[in-house]
């Protein structure tokens, strides 16, 4: 069973990130010294900006006994006078830090940013298209990791409170898989604490981490947690600031070097895909706290402080467990300081909401095949045939993360190729044969699941697929290195898989979904959102000499890095693209030989959660219907075609049923004038809506 663990500073073995940790440590410790000396030396100015880290140290010092602060200030002043330099600063930065002007009202961070590129802040980089991932997007998220404190033991009371018994509080800063932070509420662990007593809580929640945004598993969740014997938030405000410093520098380095992990921070649905930078930030924070507390102990020789602990826990995949349980193993965190010691027993509990990405495909007039990963991580399918649905049934034992898309590709008149990344990270394929009424049974197994060569991807990655000619399937996926990779099967290879081939040098967030379509026989077009928020495209076919072109973008409109761009070809040599941009606006672009690229243009009348997926169904070559879940949880639709005079019209709600914000809709058209939608509700049940020209009708809960 997985358990919570304490992150050690020694875990930061990567030399580049260790250098970042050194820089952050030096900046933090230098700010701590400036704030401390300013309490007795009016010649040392404090920054004008109230958000400067120096002010957070000032607040922290106010929580300590005045005599301890006075002695520490005197000790530090004597050391600086004797050595001519501040203490605790690494050799590599010592000369640089001597250039900082302590009389200036500029913060240390602002001055260092102008003195060295190593300290240039992320905010000043002005990288277009980058958005902060919002961990608490309103109305979004039903899956969570709940940190609990189940017991507290007083190993030895501190005696700091006047009445003789301690009153203990706990507070923390959560770091998600993407490096974003959320301060926890102050937890009152009650009073009356004396040596050797303890208290148990059967189910006491300390903090809750949202697991529903972003894509990519396993996903590390980190918690910086501290206790105190007074109800103060200054320590956590300081810790929050330190975490922000670590996050900022780690992101900056990742962006500058083009790393696949942490290259972009996006919105709550697209986001940083790959789920990696959070653990790096956690390790940097552990390193910085260890060095900072070492410095504090060298200065505050009369005070023994409770040092914060950095804890981590890996969530395996959507719908997964810790062994056979949704509850992790227990962890005992011990704090020693102020002449006392406390031990807290902590664990974490998973709660999974719906996350299935449904895939719908019409193989013949009036028929629908539907696929998804259910809440038990089983890949399942069902079929609408002869006016009735078959039951959901497992497909040859296949399993995947619940949020893994199951791509369905029609590559002949009766064959479907299913594509998915399994729990082992491999790309897997499965072939079914679907017959029209009067033929063979609805779903006939041709052969078991097979891995597509040796490709390994981040769990939750979409494997896009398209058939450019009968019997041919081309697949695309973003690798763990951030490159786009392709493989193919068909008569040219005796139906064996060939690949994987890297398509150019473009790097995007690891696991980013690739939009793929074929606008004409033996022509392929693919699309992906880059680290800079631009939508890039690549093409293959006779028009390119049967080689892939260089990646390019046709418009500088910004989307959240890593989000899905939906691509369709409703008629020969016509491309239509759809996406929700960084402002939550639905956008469209199109291409034809006569017009070239047009767009991006906003389809007015609605706003969505940034990064939401747009689903498309085309009833005829001239008719498009698009769908997305709105910020109110209802499905909204817009249409384009002769009936709207060749312009976009809408948006209209598809009834009043409400679904989790961020859910994706599967849309298909079984015949002209007919539309079918499929979506899972908050309980994981599938609902469908049908349109036949006279309005929408909802069916479900199945």
């Amino acid at each position: 069973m997985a358990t919570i663990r304490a992150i050690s500073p020694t875990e930061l073995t990567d030399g580049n990130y260790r250098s970042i940790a050194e820089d952050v440590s030096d900046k933090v410790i230098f700010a701590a010294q400036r704030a401390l000396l300013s309490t007795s030396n009016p010649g040392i100015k404090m920054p004008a900006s109230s958000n400067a880290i120096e002010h957070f140290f000032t607040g922290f010092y106010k929580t300590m006994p005045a005599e301890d602060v006075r002695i520490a200030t005197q000790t530090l002043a004597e050391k600086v006078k004797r050595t001519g330099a501040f203490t605790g600063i690494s050799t590599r930065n010592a000369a640089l830090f001597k250039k900082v002007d302590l009389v200036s009202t500029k913060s240390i961070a602002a001055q260092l940013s102008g003195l060295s590129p190593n300290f240039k802040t992320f905010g000043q980089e002005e990288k277009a298209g980058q958005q902060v991932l919002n961990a608490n997007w309103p109305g979004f998220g039903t899956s969570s990791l709940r940190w609990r404190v189940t017991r507290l033991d007083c190993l030895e009371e501190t005696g700091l409170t006047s009445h003789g018994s301690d009153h203990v509080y706990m507070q923390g800063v959560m770091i998600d898989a993407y490096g974003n932070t959320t301060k926890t509420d102050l937890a009152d662990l009650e009073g009356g604490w004396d040596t050797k007593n303890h208290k148990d809580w059967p189910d006491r929640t300390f903090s809750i981490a949202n697991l529903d945004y972003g894509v990519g598993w396993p996903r590390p969740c980190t918690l910086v947690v501290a206790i105190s014997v007074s109800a103060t938030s200054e320590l956590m405000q300081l810790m929050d600031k330190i975490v922000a410093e670590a996050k900022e520098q780690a992101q900056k380095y990742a962006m500058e070097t083009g790393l696949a992990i942490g290259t972009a921070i996006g919105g709550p649905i697209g986001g940083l895909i790959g789920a990696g930078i959070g653990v790096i930030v956690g390790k940097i924070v552990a390193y910085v706290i260890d060095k900072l507390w070492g410095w504090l102990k060298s200065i505050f020789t009369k005070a023994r402080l409770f040092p914060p602990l950095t804890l981590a826990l890996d969530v395996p995949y959507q719908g997964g467990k810790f062994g056979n349980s949704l509850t992790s193993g227990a962890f005992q965190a011990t704090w020693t300081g102020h002449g006392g010691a406390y031990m807290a027993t902590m664990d974490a509990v998973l709660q999974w909401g719906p996350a299935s990405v449904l895939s719908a495909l019409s193989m013949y007039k009036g028929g629908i095949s539907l696929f998804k990963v259910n809440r038990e991580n089983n890949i399942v399918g069902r079929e609408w045939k002869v006016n009735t649905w078959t039951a959901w049934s497992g497909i040859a034992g296949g399993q995947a993360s619940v949020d893994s898309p199951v791509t369905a590709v029609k590559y002949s008149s009766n064959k479907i190729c299913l594509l998915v990344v399994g729990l082992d990270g491999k790309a897997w394929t499965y072939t079914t044969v679907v017959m029209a009424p009067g033929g063979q049974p609805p779903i006939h197994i041709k052969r078991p699941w097979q891995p597509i060569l040796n490709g390994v991807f981040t769990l939750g990655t979409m494997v896009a697929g398209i058939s450019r000619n009968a019997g041919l399937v081309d697949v695309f996926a973003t690798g763990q290195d951030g490159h786009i990779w392709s493989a193919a099967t068909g008569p040219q290879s005796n139906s064996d898989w060939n690949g994987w081939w890297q398509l150019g040098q473009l790097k995007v967030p690891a696991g980013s979904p690739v939009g793929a379509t074929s606008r004409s026989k033996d022509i392929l077009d693919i699309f992906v959102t880059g680290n800079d928020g631009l939508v890039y495209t690549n093409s293959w076919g006779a028009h390119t000499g049967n080689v892939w072109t260089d990646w390019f973008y046709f418009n500088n409109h910004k989307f959240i890095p890593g989000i899905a761009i939906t691509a369709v070809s409703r008629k020969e040599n016509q491309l239509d693209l759809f996406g929700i941009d960084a402002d939550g606006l639905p956008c469209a672009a199109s291409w034809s030989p006569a017009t070239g690229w047009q767009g991006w243009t906003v389809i007015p009348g609605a706003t969505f959660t940034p990064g939401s997926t747009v689903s498309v169904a085309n009833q005829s070559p001239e008719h498009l219907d698009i769908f997305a879940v709105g910020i109110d949880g209802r499905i909204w639709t817009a249409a384009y075609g002769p009936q709207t005079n060749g312009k976009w019209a809408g948006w209209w709600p598809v009834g009043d049923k409400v679904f989790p914000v961020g859910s994706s809709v599967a849309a298909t058209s079984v015949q002209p004038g007919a539309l079918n939608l499929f979506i899972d509700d908050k309980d994981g049940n599938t609902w469908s809506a049908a349109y036949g020209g006279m309005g929408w009708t909802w069916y479900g809960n199945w």
Side-chain angles (χ1 to χ4, degrees):
M1 175 183 291
T3 187
I4 300 167
R5 63 183 181 86
I7 295 180
S8 167
T10 59
E11 293 183 34
L12 196 62
T13 56
D14 183 283
N16 294 311
Y17 284 117
R18 192 178 182 89
S19 295
I20 291 173
E22 281 285 354
D23 291 343
V24 174
S25 299
D26 288 347
K27 181 162 63 173
V28 167
I29 292 173
F30 196 63
Q33 295 179 69
R34 181 183 190 180
L36 186 60
L37 291 175
S38 70
T39 61
S40 62
N41 186 344
I44 296 179
K45 303 294 184 183
M46 287 293 283
S49 171
S50 61
N51 196 44
I53 194 169
E54 290 94 319
H55 290 294
F56 290 85
F57 273 105
T58 299
F60 174 56
Y61 294 147
K62 288 179 179 178
T63 68
M64 303 175 68
E67 181 63 12
D68 288 351
V69 175
R70 186 192 68 78
I71 294 173
T73 304
Q74 181 179 338
T75 301
L76 177 61
E78 290 174 352
K79 286 185 177 181
V80 172
K81 183 177 181 180
R82 184 173 65 255
T83 63
F86 284 88
T87 64
I89 307 300
S90 65
T91 303
R92 64 193 292 264
N93 286 323
L96 176 67
F97 277 49
K98 287 183 178 181
K99 299 178 182 179
V100 174
D101 182 6
L102 298 182
V103 178
S104 170
T105 57
K106 283 188 175 182
S107 68
I108 287 173
Q111 292 187 58
L112 289 173
S113 181
L115 292 172
S116 169
N118 290 346
F119 291 92
K120 193 172 184 181
T121 61
F122 183 74
Q124 292 174 331
E125 292 292 324
E126 297 180 353
K127 296 284 187 180
Q130 305 304 321
Q131 280 204 339
V132 173
L133 182 67
N134 191 328
N136 295 303
W137 199 273
F140 183 82
T142 55
S143 297
S144 64
L145 179 73
R146 185 161 57 96
W147 297 86
R148 300 191 304 183
V149 53
T150 59
R151 177 182 171 115
L152 186 67
D153 287 82
C154 178
L155 305 180
E156 185 177 357
E157 66 178 295
T158 66
L160 289 180
T161 48
S162 58
H163 51 76
S165 297
D166 290 340
H167 195 125
V168 179
Y169 299 84
M170 179 181 284
Q171 197 169 12
V173 179
M174 290 186 294
I175 308 172
D176 66 20
Y178 312 101
N180 302 286
T181 63
T182 305
K183 281 189 293 187
T184 71
D185 293 330
L186 184 69
D188 186 345
L189 300 185
E190 305 170 24
W193 289 100
D194 297 307
T195 301
K196 302 302 182 184
N197 65 2
H198 73 272
K199 188 168 291 187
D200 293 290
W201 297 281
D203 188 27
R204 179 161 191 160
T205 298
F206 175 60
S207 62
I208 300 176
N210 187 342
L211 296 177
D212 264 332
Y213 59 88
V215 178
W217 306 92
R219 192 171 296 180
C221 296
T222 306
L223 178 69
V224 182
V225 61
I227 64 169
S228 63
V229 289
S230 60
T232 175
S233 63
E234 282 78 8
L235 173 59
M236 277 303 106
Q237 289 176 351
L238 175 60
M239 290 301 102
D240 191 37
K241 187 65 176 176
I242 290 173
V243 172
E245 292 280 349
K247 166 189 168 183
E248 186 170 281
Q249 294 303 320
Q251 287 176 5
K252 181 174 77 73
Y253 171 73
M255 287 182 62
E256 290 174 347
T257 56
L259 293 180
I261 291 180
T263 48
I265 298 298
I269 297 172
L272 169 65
I273 304 178
I277 201 169
V279 71
I280 297 296
V281 174
K283 290 179 180 180
I284 293 174
V285 169
Y287 185 98
V288 173
I289 289 175
D290 183 71
K291 190 171 180 181
L292 172 63
W293 245 252
W295 176 83
L296 287 170
K297 287 190 291 185
S298 73
I299 299 299
F300 287 87
T301 56
K302 298 292 184 180
R304 285 179 285 178
L305 308 171
F306 283 133
L309 297 177
T310 304
L311 309 179
L313 180 64
D314 289 337
V315 180
Y317 48 82
Q318 183 85 26
K321 296 180 179 180
F322 302 120
N324 295 318
S325 174
L326 291 173
T327 302
S328 73
F331 177 82
Q332 292 179 324
T334 302
W335 290 269
T336 302
H338 299 292
Y342 282 86
M343 181 175 68
T345 301
M346 303 182 70
D347 65 12
V349 181
L350 287 168
Q351 176 177 313
W352 294 116
S356 296
V357 182
L358 290 153
S359 178
L361 188 65
S362 178
M363 292 292 289
Y364 56 87
K365 185 177 179 179
I368 302 173
S369 297
L370 195 61
F371 306 95
K372 71 173 184 177
V373 182
N374 68 15
R375 298 181 77 170
E376 288 73 45
N377 298 106
N378 297 316
I379 301 171
V380 296
R382 68 187 312 176
E383 189 177 11
W384 174 259
K385 189 172 185 178
V386 196
N387 297 322
T388 187
W389 282 102
T390 62
W392 285 112
S393 59
I395 300 177
Q399 287 197 311
S401 179
V402 175
D403 58 347
S404 291
V406 181
T407 301
V409 180
K410 177 181 179 180
Y411 69 104
S412 75
S413 61
N414 65 346
K415 292 179 182 177
I416 299 176
C417 175
L418 299 182
L419 304 161
V420 70
V421 171
L423 293 180
D424 57 0
K426 293 181 180 179
W428 290 83
T429 181
Y430 177 84
T431 299
T432 70
V433 177
V434 178
M435 304 301 294
Q440 298 178 24
I443 296 181
H444 170 70
I445 298 175
K446 179 182 178 183
R447 57 184 179 182
W449 288 95
Q450 293 185 328
I452 302 178
L453 305 171
N454 59 352
V456 177
F457 301 88
T458 300
L459 270 65
T461 298
M462 173 186 179
V463 183
I466 196 72
S467 179
R468 54 186 164 89
N469 209 334
L472 295 172
V473 178
D474 291 89
V475 300
F476 308 90
T478 303
Q480 294 175 334
D481 59 358
H483 289 299
I484 312 301
W485 294 81
S486 177
T489 185
Q492 79 282 6
S493 60
N494 196 29
S495 296
D496 291 329
W497 284 95
N498 285 336
W500 293 85
W501 306 289
Q502 179 181 313
L503 304 185
Q505 298 303 312
L506 178 70
K507 270 195 170 185
V508 300
S512 295
V514 179
T517 191
S518 177
R519 56 184 148 103
S520 185
K521 185 178 293 186
D522 289 325
I523 292 180
L524 295 167
D525 292 279
I526 57 176
F527 306 87
V528 69
T529 309
N531 295 329
D532 53 7
L534 300 174
V535 175
Y536 287 83
T537 182
N538 205 334
S539 185
W540 182 95
H543 65 297
T544 66
N546 291 332
V547 296
W548 287 98
T549 63
D550 292 331
W551 290 96
F552 70 94
Y553 62 90
F554 55 86
N555 187 293
N556 60 2
H557 195 88
K558 296 292 183 178
F559 294 81
I560 293 173
I563 70 159
I565 297 297
T566 303
V568 297
S569 179
R570 52 192 165 92
K571 60 182 178 180
E572 188 169 6
N573 283 323
Q574 174 73 40
L575 294 170
D576 291 281
L577 308 182
F578 303 93
I580 305 297
D581 71 8
D583 296 317
L585 299 175
C587 298
S590 63
W591 179 92
S592 71
T595 64
W597 281 108
Q598 292 187 319
W600 296 89
T601 58
V602 173
I603 302 173
T607 302
F608 298 87
T609 302
S612 298
T613 299
V614 179
S615 300
V616 185
N618 53 290
Q619 304 176 38
S620 71
E622 302 301 331
H623 195 140
L624 285 167
D625 294 274
I626 60 175
F627 307 88
V629 176
I631 56 178
D632 61 356
R634 292 188 293 175
I635 298 174
W636 291 80
T637 181
Y640 172 94
Q643 81 285 6
T644 61
N645 297 318
K647 298 179 181 179
W648 282 102
W651 294 77
W652 310 285
V654 180
D656 291 320
K657 276 205 62 65
V658 175
F659 300 93
V661 176
S663 300
S664 62
V665 184
T668 189
S669 176
V670 297
Q671 60 190 30
L675 293 166
N676 294 88
L677 307 181
F678 304 91
I679 187 171
D680 275 6
D681 66 12
K682 63 182 179 62
D683 297 318
N685 300 309
T686 301
W687 287 77
S688 68
Y691 177 85
M694 299 297 292
W696 289 95
T697 303
W698 279 101
Y699 303 91
N701 192 357
W702 41 267

